[in-house]
Amino acid sequence: MAVILGVDPGSRRTGFGLLEEKHGDWVHLDHGVIEVPAQADFAHRLHLIYQGLREVFLRYQPRATVVEKIFLGKNADSAFKLGHMRGLALQLAWAQQSEIFEYAPRSVKKVITGSGAADKEQVQRLVCHILRLPQPMSQDASDALALALSHSRWVENGQRLKAMGVDL
């Protein structure tokens, strides 16, 4: 059983989404958001996110973990906090011997919607449509599922190329 975990890191809300391979198809396994109190200091939030993600890793034991690459925004403090959360997810994946993949937000949007400039609502609608999930769902969870879906498409494409004799 192969499981892909997508992680949309955040210092107040971290989304996760899991896909499982069944009979050659990737199907929805679970998704959710680890939400921490806004009034908690940063170190406490880091610990709470760690605990929540650790539970996800231990429960599902993903073979692959996909984390959104950091992007540079206008707020340096937010970027640093995001970097801490990404590092936490990467460390957990490494400790659980889950293979790590990172994708830029624009490339995920392009795989899911066909446009790297798609907005979050478009991504969310298509993720729900592809996985046959009811709307609405948290954007943090749909972003995490979009990461996992993007990776599943890369895996499928790689398998097709290998079957055609293309050496990767």
Side-chain angles (χ1 to χ4, degrees):
M1 169 179 75
V3 174
I4 299 172
L5 168 63
V7 179
D8 181 38
S11 65
R12 292 196 178 136
R13 298 171 51 88
T14 291
F16 65 90
L18 293 125
L19 300 180
E20 178 181 25
E21 187 177 24
K22 285 189 179 178
H23 311 293
D25 290 323
W26 291 99
V27 296
H28 174 261
L29 181 61
D30 196 5
H31 69 273
V33 176
I34 301 161
E35 193 164 0
V36 298
Q39 69 274 16
D41 64 29
F42 183 70
H44 188 213
R45 284 187 274 152
L46 193 68
H47 177 70
L48 293 172
I49 297 287
Y50 172 85
Q51 284 183 315
L53 271 180
R54 185 172 181 271
E55 287 176 23
V56 171
F57 274 98
L58 293 175
R59 180 172 182 193
Y60 295 104
Q61 300 179 2
R63 183 176 294 169
T65 300
V66 188
V67 181
E68 187 175 71
K69 279 188 178 178
I70 201 160
F71 58 92
L72 297 177
K74 295 178 183 176
N75 187 332
D77 187 53
S78 294
F80 283 123
K81 287 178 180 173
L82 178 60
H84 283 77
M85 295 305 167
R86 277 179 32 80
L88 197 157
L90 295 172
Q91 189 280 326
L92 279 164
W94 185 87
Q96 295 299 315
Q97 299 177 343
S98 179
E99 196 170 359
I100 298 168
F101 300 89
E102 301 175 79
Y103 298 110
R106 288 185 66 83
S107 67
V108 171
K109 291 176 183 180
K110 178 109 174 137
V111 169
I112 300 299
T113 70
S115 169
D119 63 31
K120 286 186 171 283
E121 289 79 20
Q122 287 175 296
V123 172
Q124 183 182 54
R125 279 194 307 274
L126 280 167
V127 164
C128 289
H129 176 75
I130 292 165
L131 296 174
R132 298 179 184 97
L133 298 173
Q135 290 187 51
M137 85 167 45
S138 160
Q139 284 186 347
D140 301 295
S142 65
D143 285 353
L145 283 168
L147 285 157
L149 266 173
S150 292
H151 183 67
S152 74
R153 299 293 157 85
W154 285 107
V155 168
E156 288 169 0
N157 288 339
Q159 289 171 345
R160 280 190 204 108
L161 289 171
K162 281 183 183 178
M164 294 176 3
V166 176
D167 191 20
L168 300 174

